[in-house]
Amino acid sequence: MDRPDDRPDHRPDGRRDDRPDHRPDGRFARRPAALRARRYVAIGGRGPEDVVADARGRVLTGVEDGRILRLDGLLDPDAVRVETLADTGGRPLGLELLPDDGLLVCDAERGLLRVDLGDGSVRVLADSVAGEPLRFCSNVVALADGSVYFTVSSRRYPLGQWLGDIVEHTGTGRLLRLAPGSDTPEVLLEGLQFANGLAPSADQSFLVIAETGARRLTRYWLTGPEAGRGGPFVEDLPGMPDNLWRAGPDGLVWVALAGPRVPPLDLLHRAPDAVRHTAARIAVRAPYRPTGTIGALAVDDEGRVVHRLAARGSSFRMVTGVCEAAGHLVLGSLRERGVALCEPPAPK
C-alpha cells in the first residue's frame, strides 16, 4: 500500500494544487493524492466489511463469522483492544450507530437487525418485504425523525455470489424505508445497480446511495419539490463505490472504492441480457482475485469531490469501508483479516 497511484496533488513549484477534483461535466480534473498506510491492525476475524467510528474514536465492524467487534487504542499496536460486542448469527455488513447505545446492522443472511451494545442482544427489525426474504441487506442509516433507510444490493444473487450481480448488471438493487414503530419496510426506489453504501446530507433533505455496479452515487430526495425521486449525484467514478460514511453532521461523505474501473466490464454491461447472464454464471464459479489498486473519495453535499486518494500495489485489498478515527482514515475490507490505518488527506 506504500506505492501511490499517482503523484500527490502539488504543482511543479511545490505549492498545493487547489483546483476542484471534480469538474461540472462530471470528469475528474486531476490525479489522486497518495493513499498511504501507516499501520495494519489484525482483529482476529475475517472481512471487516464496514467500519464506523463512535464519539470516542473507537471503531466498530462486523466480521464473517457473525461477530460485531469494537476496536480501541488503534494508535498503539501493543495496546489495541478488540472486544466482541455481539453475534448476529449471520453475516453483518453495513452498520449505523444510534444515540441510545444501539447499533443497526444490515445482515446479508438475517435482514435488518438492531444490536444492544450494552448486553449484546440482537433483535430482527425486518427480514422480508412484500413476502420476499431480505437476503442481501447492505447498508443502513437512521434519521432524526426515527425513520430507518437501508439498501438491498441484489434480489437475484446472495452475498457469496455478489460478483454475479456486478457482471450481469441486474439492476435489482433497492432503497427501503422502515417507519418508526413499523416492522414492514416500504420500497422507495428500485432498479439500482448493486445498491450499497448509504449516507444522509447534512440537513437530511436527501440520501446518497452508492451504486457499485454503475460506478456512481445517486441522490434520493426526502424533502422539497423533488421528494420521492432519485437522480444523479456523482457519476463516472474512477472505481466501484462501496460503503459510505459521513464524518459528523457537518462533515464530508467518505466513499470506499472497492476496486478500480474495469473497461471490459463497462463494455459487457452493454451486451444483451443472455450474454451477461452467461458471463455471470462463469464469474460466480471462478475465484475472485482483487487488484492492488485501492482508493477512497470524500464528497460534499453539492456533489463536489473534495478528496481523492488512491494507491497501487497495495497489500491491503478490496477496500469496502472507510471512516475517520484517531486522526487517521480507517479502511475495512470484505476479504482482509484486519483494518488499515492511513494518513488523512491534507486540509483544503
Side-chain angles (χ1 to χ4, degrees), residues 18-265:
D18 59 0
R19 292 175 296 165
D21 284 289
H22 203 246
R23 303 192 322 204
D25 62 5
R27 297 176 60 191
F28 285 82
R30 58 189 173 119
R31 295 174 175 176
L35 182 59
R36 302 184 186 278
R38 287 180 174 172
R39 182 172 299 124
Y40 176 85
V41 179
I43 60 173
R46 186 174 188 268
E49 196 266 349
D50 192 18
V51 286
V52 298
D54 67 13
R56 294 173 54 183
R58 300 174 297 184
V59 172
L60 282 79
T61 188
V63 290
E64 189 177 67
D65 61 15
R67 288 178 298 150
I68 303 295
L69 306 179
R70 184 164 59 199
L71 318 178
D72 196 8
L74 289 173
L75 294 182
D76 185 349
D78 299 322
V80 175
R81 296 179 294 281
V82 181
E83 179 184 4
T84 298
L85 302 178
D87 189 332
T88 70
R91 202 328 176 181
L93 297 176
L95 310 177
E96 169 82 338
L97 281 161
L98 299 173
D100 62 354
D101 207 27
L103 180 74
L104 295 175
V105 180
C106 275
D107 192 291
E109 299 172 6
R110 300 194 61 200
L112 179 65
L113 313 177
R114 177 191 163 95
V115 173
D116 187 316
L117 297 179
D119 61 16
S121 59
V122 178
R123 178 163 59 96
V124 177
L125 298 182
D127 58 8
S128 65
V129 56
E132 178 183 336
L134 290 170
R135 64 175 179 175
F136 199 162
C137 288
S138 192
N139 208 277
V140 59
V141 295
L143 300 192
D145 66 358
S147 296
V148 172
Y149 297 84
F150 62 103
T151 56
V152 169
S153 291
S154 175
R155 298 171 65 193
R156 192 169 300 171
Y157 291 90
L159 174 63
Q161 297 180 342
W162 64 267
L163 187 57
D165 195 279
I166 297 295
V167 170
E168 188 171 347
H169 212 50
T170 69
T172 58
R174 285 174 155 181
L175 172 68
L176 298 97
R177 175 180 182 262
L178 191 65
S182 173
D183 60 0
T184 305
E186 59 178 313
V187 178
L188 301 179
L189 200 58
E190 299 194 86
L192 299 172
Q193 292 292 352
F194 205 92
N196 206 325
L198 197 58
S201 63
D203 62 3
Q204 300 194 355
S205 64
F206 64 86
L207 300 174
V208 180
I209 310 162
E211 288 190 77
T212 305
R215 290 191 298 107
R216 69 187 172 211
L217 304 179
T218 294
R219 171 162 44 195
Y220 180 82
W221 288 101
L222 299 174
T223 63
E226 298 295 316
R229 296 186 179 182
F233 190 59
V234 185
E235 299 188 279
D236 196 26
L237 294 173
M240 296 183 177
D242 205 288
N243 285 311
L244 309 181
W245 182 78
R246 186 168 197 104
D250 300 319
L252 300 171
V253 173
W254 277 99
V255 184
L257 297 178
R261 178 188 176 193
V262 182
L265 187 60

